[in-house]
Amino acid sequence: MGYLAYDNTTMVQRPAVVIIPDYDGIGPYELWRASLLAQLGYAAFVADIYGVAQVQGPALTSAQSSKLDQMYLMDPELLLSRVGAGVAEAQMQAVVKTNATVVIGYCFGAAAILDLAASWPNPITNNVLGVMAFHAASPPSAEINMTMGNPIRISVQQGFNDPSIPQAEALMTQEMWESMGVKWEWTWYSQTVHAYTEPDLVGPNAGSTMAYSATADQRSWQALRFYLLDLFSYVTPQNQYANTTMFDTTSSFA
């Protein structure tokens, strides 16, 4: 199950971008990101990791979300199976090119997709070309069980002051990926903490470890655009390198 966003003026098949939500599941934030990706010409699918019976989004309390978060992080195989089911569901949609999928995630979801990439050659990774993790939590097992020659490209967009992944741990992970022949990139954003893509985390809603950064948000979004163009080799009139007037290059993403 999940939420599918796409340009319905055409039923032509297009690459899929699967979004794995953060710790509170599917909410307005994930639907907004899906809409932005749909306007770029992709089929954006927000995977429902928690299930339809679970309250999600802003209505989910911190206590409930923490309990769910810990349940899945303590059971990587369960989390991996849910992520894999979401990817499979996206690839079954009529408007999706089944051989062209990228999976992105935020926070809890970012940790999950790093595990997804590390699970190759598990069949659930079929046709997954790459993953991009935004302000990732520490993944349950992405630092182990990597197979030599893993073809899934990995991109991590992380705040330098985000306590979720200590810099020493990041370096160990990067060295392991490099030794295994993985194609990876890791971008640090200075003076940036966790959840930097969440526009609501400003003023009294911001904290010392979680706060919005317009600069990091916009630059990581542009990194995603170029990443998708590179992996998919798919350019629509709405998705050109030279186009600097598009809605998603403005500070409001309006």
Side-chain angles (χ1 to χ4, degrees), residues 181-225:
V182 175
K183 291 184 178 180
W184 64 274
E185 60 190 40
W186 192 301
T187 302
W188 291 110
Y189 295 98
S190 66
Q191 312 302 317
T192 302
V193 292
H194 191 63
Y196 66 81
T197 66
E198 297 270 3
D200 291 341
L201 292 179
V202 295
N205 294 326
S208 61
T209 60
M210 296 178 63
Y212 179 66
S213 167
T215 298
D217 186 13
Q218 293 167 41
R219 291 189 178 182
S220 62
W221 182 256
Q222 292 303 319
L224 175 61
R225 288 189 68 180

Side-chain angles (χ1 to χ4, degrees), residues 83-106:
V83 173
V87 172
E89 182 75 15
Q91 292 173 342
M92 289 191 293
Q93 304 305 310
V95 295
V96 166
K97 294 175 67 175
T98 57
N99 64 344
T101 301
V102 163
V103 188
I104 69 173
Y106 297 88

Side-chain angles (χ1 to χ4, degrees), residues 4 13-20 37 42-47 83-93 95-105 113 116-117 120 123-132 150-155 224 227-234:
L4 178 66
Q13 290 187 326
R14 66 212 78 185
V17 181
V18 180
I19 301 170
I20 308 301
L37 288 162
Y42 303 113
F45 185 82
V46 184
V83 173
V87 172
E89 182 75 15
Q91 292 173 342
M92 289 191 293
Q93 304 305 310
V95 295
V96 166
K97 294 175 67 175
T98 57
N99 64 344
T101 301
V102 163
V103 188
I104 69 173
I113 66 169
L116 174 70
W120 182 89
I124 66 174
T125 64
N126 288 350
N127 299 311
V128 174
L129 305 181
V131 301
M132 182 175 279
N150 187 328
I152 298 176
R153 285 179 49 180
I154 300 174
S155 178
L224 175 61
Y227 188 69
L228 297 176
L229 288 168
D230 185 22
L231 289 178
F232 291 145
S233 300
Y234 177 82

